[in-house]
Amino acid sequence: MILTPGVLLYHASYTAVENIDLSLCADGKDFGKGFYVTTDYNQAYKFVKTSILKAVKNGIKIENKTVGYISIYEFKQNQDLSIFEFAEADKQWLHCVAKHRKNTLLDNFSYNWNVYDIIVGKIANDTTNQVLTAYINGLYGEVGSDLADETAVRLLLPNKLANQLCFKSAKSLTSLVFKESREVWINEGKQI
């Protein structure tokens, strides 16, 4: 289990995030709308540049496009939270990501990911986007078929993926204790 009391969680952004507002979170992400963090500081650092580029693309004015932030939180256990954790990037994980990225897919499957306050699993990052896009577009066969699922999961190389945690409800946010935000400089992908 990734979420244990006291574990540090990292959020990458173009801005420091002390107060989390779920209404500002985008739809269409891997585990749905929510506030995303990781236990992997390096993964968060790598995402700072992506966050800056997305913000600029969405029309957000940023003074310095070479500076981003990693906000750090400590997880505080809350017994009332409903948490689902994918042990690996398997068929069920693949269906969850595909359904959230394109909600018209997999209607014949009975997954209801909206009942969870927090979803934990592997991150679908830049190295996996080609495989996921091909899967979603049916290039491996009909989405949800055994052939398509097995092909996509095999190509994803799940053992090399970092983790991500999606805090989906206001109740889940009460388990995050803000510690600090660190300013990071982006210089060709290296921290200065």
Side-chain angles (χ1 to χ4, degrees), residues 4-179:
T4 56
V7 70
L8 293 180
L9 303 169
Y10 306 99
H11 175 78
S13 183
Y14 64 92
T15 187
V17 181
E18 183 172 350
N19 299 306
I20 304 163
D21 183 349
L22 288 175
S23 70
L24 299 176
C25 299
D27 287 319
K29 293 189 173 181
D30 293 348
F31 300 149
K33 186 173 185 170
F35 185 72
Y36 283 77
V37 293
T38 181
T39 60
D40 185 338
Y41 183 88
N42 290 326
Q43 177 66 29
Y45 178 77
K46 290 175 190 173
F47 192 73
V48 170
K49 185 174 184 178
T50 302
S51 178
I52 292 169
L53 293 173
K54 285 182 180 180
V56 169
K57 182 180 174 187
N58 291 327
I60 297 171
K61 294 187 182 193
I62 300 173
E63 288 182 34
N64 187 343
K65 295 179 181 115
T66 61
V67 176
Y69 297 85
I70 297 177
S71 297
I72 303 169
Y73 309 87
E74 182 178 339
F75 180 72
K76 178 180 72 173
Q77 186 66 42
N78 178 340
Q79 299 300 328
D80 295 334
L81 293 176
S82 175
I83 302 171
F84 184 88
E85 183 172 345
F86 291 100
E88 57 188 59
D90 58 12
K91 183 166 61 169
Q92 189 177 23
W93 173 88
L94 178 65
H95 290 177
C96 179
V97 172
K99 180 69 175 169
H100 282 108
R101 288 192 176 191
K102 188 173 182 181
N103 67 5
T104 58
L105 292 176
L106 302 164
D107 287 335
N108 55 332
F109 289 85
S110 61
Y111 304 128
N112 183 4
W113 304 111
N114 294 325
V115 300
Y116 298 104
D117 296 303
I118 303 170
I119 298 178
V120 180
K122 301 294 185 182
I123 188 169
N125 59 21
D126 292 341
T127 61
T128 61
N129 276 333
Q130 287 181 327
V131 173
L132 288 166
T133 300
Y135 174 79
I136 289 168
N137 290 322
L139 296 179
Y140 304 135
E142 183 180 342
V143 174
S145 69
D146 287 341
L147 174 63
D149 291 348
E150 290 166 10
T151 301
V153 168
R154 187 180 75 252
L155 293 172
L156 287 171
L157 304 173
N159 293 328
K160 295 184 180 181
L161 300 177
N163 64 47
Q164 64 181 342
L165 303 89
C166 178
F167 287 71
K168 299 174 70 66
S169 68
K171 182 169 64 169
S172 71
L173 297 181
T174 64
S175 66
L176 292 176
V177 178
F178 177 77
K179 303 305 267 180

